[in-house]
Structures are given as structure tokens and as C-alpha cells.
Amino acid sequence: DFTNVNCNEDTWTWVDGEAHCTGQPVGVIRTKNKFTNFELVAEWRHMKDAGNSGIFLWLVDDSLVDLTPGKLPHGIEVQVLDLGYETNWEKQHGKPSDWFTSHGDVFPVGAADMTPFPPTAPNGKRSFPSKRLSKGVGEWNHYYVRAINGEVRLWVNGEEVSGGTGCTPSTGYLALESEGSPVEFRHLRIRELP
């Protein structure tokens, strides 16, 4: 079960177990319960080229207080980014990005922290995927996230690609992100682990 944090009631709709998001305003919906050790399975697809979204793990409680539309909470983000985002960046800057990818980056946001698994971004904060496995706009992608004792690992379309350890916090709410573009999630499942 998810609850609205700082999005309009129209931002997220649930139809037959699928979450449909307009992308506006920027914000999140979070789980009603907190989790420490868990497995999370989700399928996602962007409905527009260059879409941006994410799955947040272990939200920092203080960052949820008075969270307004347009702002995001702090936590560990599992990036959900369409391939067009990277393509647009490269066209704009004349070179590939060295600080993000569209294939399952994992990184701390705000007051959260973690030690990323290599390969990493030049700033040493973001775990880049070891393989580029994401599918493009309109196609379903499968994420499997395993989070145990402050370590997070991400599988994209069946292969482990990124993660990190020493995550703080390592207990908290989970959230789906609305960040400016239509996105859909389906087959969301969370299983608590000992």
C-alpha cells in the first residue's frame, strides 16, 4: 500500500494493480510501512522519450516533513531513466554523460549515504551499471532490488548490474518518484526478509 506524500491526487492512478503517473508535479508516493530488509520487484516503462523517474529506498524521515510539490525526499535512489535522456544529454553537450546512465544507477540523495559498487561516477557517489540492459520508451523493464543490512543490489532485466553498501539510513519508507514525465509501474511486490 502506498500513500500520497506531495503529489496531486491526479498525479498517480491505480488501474488493475498498475500505477500510472502523469509525472507532474515532481514528488513521490511512499509505502505506508517502513522496511529494513526486503526484496522488491517492479516492472516499469516510460511513456515519453527521455522520461525520468525512480524508486526510492529507506527515505530519511526528516526529509518527508513539510515536503512540498517539486521537492524530493532523501534516500537511496534506484534510477528509472529512459534511454532518450542520455541521448538528449549527448546531443546537448557533444559528449556522453560521465555522471549518469539510463541503465540502473543506484545512488544516495541528500542526507542519505552509501558506498557504491564499481563502476562508479567520477564523484564516487553513484554506482553505474556493469551492463547496459534497459529497454526504450514504451517497453517494459524488470527491476529486482534486494536490500539487506544496509546493502542494496539491483538486477535489470534479469542481470545484476549495480548497488552499494553502508547505506544510511537502512530502514525507512520506499517510494515511487514522479519527475516530470509519464511513467507506469506494474507487478510491484515487496517481501520482507529477516
Side-chain angles (χ1 to χ4, degrees), residues 11-13 19-23 43-48 51-54 80 140 176-185:
T11 302
W12 290 90
T13 55
H20 300 260
C21 179
T22 65
E43 291 182 23
W44 60 267
R45 67 178 175 181
H46 281 287
M47 304 311 293
K48 184 177 163 188
N52 188 355
S53 184
V80 172
W140 287 105
L176 301 178
E177 177 187 24
S178 168
E179 197 169 355
S181 184
V183 64
E184 296 179 353
F185 291 88

Side-chain angles (χ1 to χ4, degrees), residues 17-191:
E18 290 185 11
H20 300 260
C21 179
T22 65
Q24 295 292 334
V26 170
V28 297
I29 57 171
R30 68 160 175 82
T31 55
K32 291 184 178 177
N33 299 319
K34 291 183 177 183
F35 295 88
T36 301
N37 296 333
F38 62 90
E39 294 175 311
L40 178 145
V41 174
E43 291 182 23
W44 60 267
R45 67 178 175 181
H46 281 287
M47 304 311 293
K48 184 177 163 188
D49 184 61
N52 188 355
S53 184
I55 299 171
F56 275 78
L57 315 178
W58 301 317
L59 296 180
V60 175
D61 282 345
D62 290 348
S63 72
L64 292 170
V65 176
D66 299 325
L67 191 63
T68 59
K71 302 292 181 190
L72 293 172
H74 302 177
I76 304 300
E77 183 171 352
V78 177
Q79 186 74 70
V80 172
L81 201 59
D82 180 64
L83 302 176
Y85 202 94
E86 266 187 285
T87 301
N88 290 351
W89 171 272
E90 189 168 342
K91 285 179 185 173
Q92 264 187 326
H93 297 89
K95 62 180 181 177
S97 166
D98 68 350
W99 67 274
F100 74 90
T101 82
S102 296
H103 296 272
D105 296 9
V106 177
F107 56 96
V109 175
D113 197 18
M114 78 170 208
T115 301
F117 295 155
T120 62
N123 70 2
K125 294 287 185 187
R126 185 181 284 243
S127 176
F128 282 163
S130 56
K131 288 188 176 181
R132 300 173 73 79
L133 300 170
S134 291
K135 300 173 187 173
V137 66
E139 296 185 74
W140 287 105
N141 289 278
H142 182 276
Y143 272 13
Y144 167 70
V145 177
R146 188 176 66 213
I148 300 174
N149 299 329
E151 178 182 275
V152 60
R153 293 178 177 269
L154 170 65
W155 282 254
V156 174
N157 294 322
E159 293 191 49
E160 184 177 357
V161 297
S162 55
T165 191
C167 296
T168 57
S170 57
T171 293
Y173 298 107
L174 312 181
L176 301 178
E177 177 187 24
S178 168
E179 197 169 355
S181 184
V183 64
E184 296 179 353
F185 291 88
R186 70 179 183 186
H187 301 148
L188 280 159
R189 296 187 307 278
I190 303 168
R191 182 173 75 144

